[in-house]
């Protein structure tokens, strides 16, 4: 009996012509030898896509986009819905530091970008990304605060770092670069200020230092240096009615983007 003939119901004699054709295909599948000819056309397939950036220098503006396909896709960019630059083959990069026109201001790169990869079969596109251009953060002169308060009172030490679209990370530290201890009584708010629900004598110190870290700018700057003196209260304080340092008022509204995280803070005062 011929190979595979037992799979062909009612077959007699030599293998039918159909089986003669199937036999080599069977062994091709069995050996994993199926390949796609190189001359076949392929749709564009994005292999590298750009990401949003916050730029403080020209070197920060780097957007990359690459795609494969047959014929090789042509890469083009749109900035704010308008053609940006010339088309490139296979891959395209926007790199402000490599531009010949050094006179072009960094601010001119701010906007919303999208990459398109096209060939004869169709077009693939990336999601839109944004280039945010901001001035480099600096403080002309470090703020100096001197505060005096009584035990059991609440208090706020303000930081006031330079405002940027991407908020900095705030750290309160002592003179030896050790973090200020925080707990349910002492905490840093989302605005970067240091909140005391009620003061105790050990809160007195002259080295409250607020530092702002701007991740995109790769820098940490000192913003505020504060001194706090806590004096004994002249009255016998057995407790203070609880209230809120944050949020303010009886009603607050917070805007949030769908799919993004949001933090709601509640900072109390009282004893």
């Amino acid at each position: 009996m011929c190979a595979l003939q037992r799979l062909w119901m009612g077959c007699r004699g030599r293998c039918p012509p159909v089986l003669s054709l199937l036999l080599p295909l069977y062994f091709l599948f069995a050996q994993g030898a199926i390949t796609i000819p190189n001359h076949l056309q392929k749709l564009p397939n994005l292999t590298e896509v750009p990401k949003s950036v916050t730029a403080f220098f020209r070197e920060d503006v780097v957007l990359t986009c690459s795609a494969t396909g047959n014929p090789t896709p042509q890469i083009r960019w749109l900035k704010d819905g308008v053609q940006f630059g010339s088309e490139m083959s296979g891959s395209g990069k926007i790199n402000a530091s490599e531009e010949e026109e050094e006179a072009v201001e960094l601010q001119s790169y701010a906007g919303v970008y999208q990459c398109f990869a096209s060939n004869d079969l169709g077009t693939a596109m990336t999601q839109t990304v944004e280039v945010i251009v901001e001035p480099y953060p600096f403080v002309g002169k470090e703020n100096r605060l001197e505060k005096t308060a009584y035990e059991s009172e609440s208090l706020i030490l303000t930081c006031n770092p330079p405002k940027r679209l991407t908020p900095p990370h705030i750290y309160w530290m002592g003179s030896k670069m050790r973090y200020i201890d925080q707990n349910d009584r002492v905490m840093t708010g989302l605005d970067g200020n240091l909140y005391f629900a009620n003061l105790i004598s050990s809160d007195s110190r002259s080295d409250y230092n607020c530092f702002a870290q701007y991740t995109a700018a790769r820098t940490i700057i000192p913003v505020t240096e504060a001194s706090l003196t806590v004096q004994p209260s002249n009255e016998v304080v057995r407790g203070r009615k609880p209230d809120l340092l944050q949020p303010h008022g009886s009603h607050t509204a917070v805007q949030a983007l769908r799919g993004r995280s949001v933090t709601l803070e509640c900072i109390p005062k009282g004893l």
Side-chain angles (χ1 to χ4, degrees):
M1 181 179 290
C2 62
L4 297 182
Q5 186 170 347
R6 62 175 56 90
L7 301 177
W8 186 268
M9 300 302 295
C11 174
R12 295 180 180 274
R14 298 185 59 188
C15 293
V18 175
L19 286 182
S20 299
L21 294 174
L22 290 176
L23 188 60
L25 289 177
Y26 170 80
F27 285 106
L28 282 175
F29 277 109
Q31 298 174 12
I34 296 298
T35 58
I36 300 176
N38 292 329
H39 66 273
L40 290 182
Q41 291 186 325
K42 302 176 185 177
L43 284 164
N45 177 45
L46 293 167
T47 56
E48 192 171 11
V49 297
K51 297 180 180 179
S52 295
V53 296
T54 299
F56 296 91
F57 306 100
R58 296 175 66 91
E59 292 77 8
D60 296 328
V61 183
V62 179
L63 302 177
T64 55
C65 182
S66 301
T68 59
N70 192 15
T72 300
Q74 293 296 111
I75 305 296
R76 62 186 177 90
W77 290 91
L78 293 186
K79 176 180 178 286
D80 298 328
V82 180
Q83 179 82 21
F84 183 84
S86 57
E87 290 190 357
M88 292 159 277
S89 179
S91 64
K93 177 184 289 188
I94 297 175
N95 191 334
S97 64
E98 296 178 356
E99 295 292 334
E100 296 180 359
E101 300 179 9
E102 292 293 336
V104 177
E105 293 185 1
L106 176 61
Q107 186 63 40
S108 66
Y109 288 95
V112 177
Y113 293 78
Q114 191 171 21
C115 172
F116 295 80
S118 305
N119 65 10
D120 295 341
L121 297 184
T123 300
M125 67 184 72
T126 67
Q127 294 183 343
T128 57
V129 297
E130 186 174 8
V131 174
I132 300 172
V133 176
E134 294 195 291
Y136 193 78
F138 74 96
V139 176
K141 184 178 181 180
E142 187 176 6
N143 300 321
R144 176 68 186 176
L145 297 177
E146 292 186 4
K147 295 280 189 176
T148 300
Y150 291 99
E151 287 180 314
S152 78
E153 291 182 339
S154 60
L155 184 80
I156 302 174
L157 295 180
T158 56
C159 182
N160 296 324
K163 302 296 182 183
R164 294 295 182 266
L165 292 177
T166 303
H169 298 286
I170 301 299
Y171 304 97
W172 283 91
M173 309 182 80
S175 58
K176 296 182 179 180
M177 301 305 290
R178 294 181 179 178
Y179 292 106
I180 301 296
D181 291 335
Q182 299 193 34
N183 45 50
D184 290 342
R185 190 181 61 84
V186 183
M187 64 188 69
T188 302
L190 296 178
D191 55 7
N193 296 333
L194 189 63
Y195 291 85
F196 295 82
N198 56 77
L199 292 170
I200 58 178
S201 58
S202 60
D203 291 327
S204 292
R205 55 190 299 171
S206 60
D207 61 344
Y208 287 97
N209 296 284
C210 175
F211 293 88
Q213 178 186 18
Y214 296 85
T215 304
R218 300 177 292 278
T219 186
I220 299 177
I221 59 175
V223 180
T224 299
E225 181 181 356
S227 173
L228 173 59
T229 301
V230 180
Q231 297 180 346
S233 176
N234 294 327
E235 59 184 26
V236 178
V237 179
R238 295 173 180 171
R240 291 185 182 273
K241 182 180 179 180
D243 203 346
L244 293 178
L245 294 170
Q246 286 287 0
H248 300 293
S250 59
H251 178 270
T252 57
V254 177
Q255 291 185 341
L257 297 176
R258 181 179 298 173
R260 301 291 183 88
S261 62
V262 63
T263 301
L264 303 178
E265 67 176 349
C266 180
I267 301 179
K269 67 177 181 178
L271 177 63

